[in-house]
Amino acid sequence: MELSLLGLDALSPWLLGRAVSKLKLRNLGEALSRSRPIPLRSMPPITPVQWTSIAAGVNPAKHGVWGFTKYYRGPSGEHLSRPYTSLDVMFPRAFEDAALMGLDVAVVNYPLTWPIRGLCCHERMTVVGDTFLAPRVEYSPQGLAERLGKYFVTFEAMPDPYRRTELLVEGTLKLLSEVDADAYFVVLPYPDQAFHKDHYDVLSVGPRSEEVWRSIDELAGELMRRSKYLVIVSDHGAGVHRTCVNVLAPLMREFRVGLPGSLRGRLSLSLVSALDELSRVLPPSLSPREISRRGPLRRLREGVGGELVTVTRAATHEGAGQQSELSGQPFTYDAGGLSIDRVLYFRGEAERERGLKAIASSKASRYLKVTRLEERFRGAYLPPYPALFVESVDEERYWPVSSRSMAQLRRDLMPDHEVNGVLLVVGEEVRATGLRPTTWPPQP
């Protein structure tokens, strides 16, 4: 085999080092000894966007994927949304290029490979479809489903992220024993999905994570043994953030969106905002938000809105789309169920300029860099709505969030994505010449 790519969703460079050191992982340890990993900066640090950028080698404005949810206008101008699929990827990915050139390619669980008919040259590839975002797993050739179906299941079918990753590894090892290819592209949902469920065990490499890491190490060893080159890569990192900047507070004030109408709702919002302001003088270990994530206070926190304002997710991947929030309010964002907030969509140009001025005149502006999306990324596939792109002036110190709170800054212990993933290339030529992989920013 010429090349194998092993993707680990949300793997930070430091977490890879911690797992190898703590568990004495033989194969991953050998990979680290043969090549030096480098940080792979991902912006925006969102799963579908970055896995597409990694495989296509271009920025989102050239491949057309901006998040989990696609916002678009219907035939009569109505505001609609639905999840992104393979049919929305507008630039060929590396495995499609390889198949087009006549190479035998195997693709396992790569994000946005559902439906398979959306892939170029899919009839020339061995494909186990996406289990990240798809409503069901597809196979090419279809006969694989009978032999491998028990290993590849969607998150809805198996919510346990640890066991699901172990099954994916078992299924990939079985596929390796059956299908010889020139290149393998494999992506695992660990550590991301486990991190969002149990960040302490993941970040500390606890007992449950140890079992998963040992199975990943086995797969890495098999790929390294079979391949001339092994690439280990992640779409972004994961960590705990201590200073959170609320992007939505100035927009909530400007557009009167997310402000409760009832007296009880207003009191709850005032309480949350006051606690966020108080957190700025408390150590992170006493953060009201962190405390509210535990025990009986968790239900109260969920009752007053948690991290999100108004985000509706498309209920199905297979319909024509559903009415989006832009039908009833002047702005929205796609958080994908998370608190990260990078792309803000506005119903029109006038609303965008109002939003930009509101953020620029707020206290949050000293911690954020906000630009018009077309000024940050250039390409033919910008969203059909005017949009702003949000970054932190210092991603290690200040983390943009979207909170149902009027406070613009809070201290916290908040588990979320990091902008730095990992890139590691192992191969004899790399080792002999001392070559290191290079990366480049997403803008042209």
Side-chain angles (χ1 to χ4, degrees), residues 418-429:
E418 291 181 338
V419 296
N420 285 328
V422 65
L423 176 62
L424 173 67
V425 181
V426 182
E428 288 303 322
E429 184 177 337

Side-chain angles (χ1 to χ4, degrees), residues 9-12 42 45-47 192 234-238 417-421:
D9 201 342
L11 177 65
S12 296
S42 299
I46 300 174
T47 296
D192 187 74
S234 63
D235 54 337
H236 52 73
H417 294 174
E418 291 181 338
V419 296
N420 285 328

Side-chain angles (χ1 to χ4, degrees), residues 202-315:
V202 170
L203 299 182
S204 64
V205 192
R208 195 65 187 92
S209 294
E210 178 179 346
E211 299 174 25
V212 178
W213 272 113
R214 296 201 183 282
S215 68
I216 292 172
D217 188 59
E218 180 184 1
L219 176 58
E222 187 63 21
L223 291 172
M224 195 158 46
R225 184 181 69 81
R226 291 170 175 263
S227 309
K228 186 176 179 181
Y229 297 102
L230 169 64
V231 178
I232 298 175
V233 66
S234 63
D235 54 337
H236 52 73
V240 175
H241 303 278
R242 287 175 166 76
T243 304
C244 299
V245 186
N246 184 7
V247 180
L248 294 188
L251 297 179
M252 291 167 67
R253 285 193 178 94
E254 177 68 22
F255 294 107
R256 311 301 294 175
V257 170
L259 302 180
S262 67
L263 176 61
R264 179 179 179 182
R266 290 196 296 272
L267 289 174
S268 297
L269 179 61
S270 298
L271 174 62
V272 171
S273 303
L275 291 174
D276 282 349
E277 292 287 357
L278 176 64
S279 73
R280 298 174 62 179
V281 298
L282 297 175
S285 58
L286 296 178
S287 159
R289 288 268 182 165
E290 173 64 15
I291 294 171
S292 73
R293 293 188 182 102
R294 311 174 197 157
L297 289 176
R298 182 173 182 177
R299 183 175 298 176
L300 173 64
R301 173 177 175 265
E302 293 171 350
V304 298
E307 297 296 329
L308 307 180
V309 177
T310 307
V311 179
T312 57
R313 293 293 307 282

Side-chain angles (χ1 to χ4, degrees), residues 29-50:
E30 181 183 349
L32 287 175
S33 70
R34 291 171 58 183
S35 182
R36 185 166 39 171
I38 64 171
L40 182 63
R41 183 175 174 80
S42 299
M43 187 58 69
I46 300 174
T47 296
V49 182
Q50 289 309 317

Side-chain angles (χ1 to χ4, degrees), residues 3-7 51 54 110 184-187 223 230-231 233:
L3 171 75
S4 57
L5 180 145
L6 176 58
W51 283 120
I54 287 168
Y110 207 97
Y184 262 78
F185 294 80
V186 181
V187 177
L223 291 172
L230 169 64
V231 178
V233 66

Side-chain angles (χ1 to χ4, degrees), residues 69-86:
T69 306
K70 179 176 181 175
Y71 292 91
Y72 63 103
R73 296 181 189 273
S76 302
E78 63 270 35
H79 305 286
L80 301 175
S81 67
R82 62 168 175 78
Y84 279 99
T85 73
S86 64

